[in-house]
Amino acid sequence: MFAIRSFIADDLTWTHALNEEHAVELSSLTQDGFAELVEKATYVKVADNDAGLLITYDQDGVYSSINFRWFCEHYDNFLYVDRIVISKAARGQGIARKLYDDLFQFAKAKGYERVVCEVNSDPPNPASDAFHASLGFKVVGKAELEGKGKTVQYMEKAL
């Protein structure tokens, strides 16, 4: 069983390595850049045994992501899932669902109205589409990311 817990400084090395293993989906960052991302985040949780990571920002976050800015333009109360990643060895064990369930509890307790994210639509990511739909996310917009060679769907789960 993988426990969900708060991020601690000792997690930086393995979570950065996990991010870099999935840089195509998440975008590559230097270790310092990754540390800054975590430091500025509203909510960061990990699954024990180096199994997974979830990072979010709220509407007041200081973050330059074009996807985050889209949500800022459309909503005034939200938690934005910047990245969720599960190690290859830990996939299929319900860890992503556990991380999201913990996030939903946190968001409701803190008075957030919605959790939002984006999922690649070109190139397609049908597993992520199905997973987010199973959690109650709905598509609320889309964008072609100039210079990145991909299109994303913006998704929302009302709380």
Side-chain angles (χ1 to χ4, degrees):
M1 200 60 149
F2 295 91
I4 305 303
R5 61 173 176 78
S6 294
F7 181 94
I8 59 172
D10 288 348
D11 293 323
L12 183 61
T13 300
W14 75 263
T15 54
H16 177 252
L18 185 60
N19 185 85
E20 294 308 293
E21 285 174 34
H22 299 86
V24 171
E25 300 89 355
L26 301 175
S27 73
S28 181
L29 294 166
T30 65
Q31 186 158 347
D32 287 346
F34 185 79
E36 183 177 343
L37 183 82
V38 168
E39 181 182 315
K40 290 181 176 181
T42 302
Y43 167 100
V44 182
K45 291 287 180 103
V46 298
D48 273 340
N49 304 322
D50 304 358
L53 167 73
L54 175 68
I55 300 175
T56 72
Y57 287 82
D58 73 8
Q59 67 280 341
D60 298 322
V62 178
Y63 192 37
S64 62
S65 158
I66 190 167
N67 297 317
F68 175 73
R69 288 195 315 260
W70 187 93
F71 288 110
C72 289
E73 292 168 6
H74 291 83
Y75 301 113
D76 58 8
N77 180 286
F78 62 86
L79 274 176
Y80 166 72
V81 177
D82 178 62
R83 58 196 67 209
I84 180 168
V85 59
I86 307 301
S87 72
K88 289 177 183 162
R91 292 202 179 140
Q93 299 179 48
I95 296 168
R97 187 171 297 276
K98 283 181 71 173
L99 283 164
Y100 263 115
D101 286 346
D102 190 80
L103 174 64
F104 297 149
Q105 288 176 12
F106 170 85
K108 288 176 187 173
K110 296 291 184 181
Y112 291 103
E113 296 172 0
R114 64 190 48 85
V115 172
V116 299
C117 66
E118 81 275 349
V119 174
N120 291 349
S121 54
D122 185 22
N125 192 340
S128 187
D129 289 339
F131 173 70
H132 284 88
S134 77
L135 294 174
F137 280 87
K138 306 281 188 235
V139 175
V140 293
K142 60 184 172 181
E144 186 174 329
L145 303 182
E146 296 289 327
K148 296 200 184 248
K150 64 181 174 181
T151 303
V152 296
Q153 293 185 115
Y154 294 124
M155 304 182 89
E156 166 196 29
K157 176 181 171 68
L159 300 175

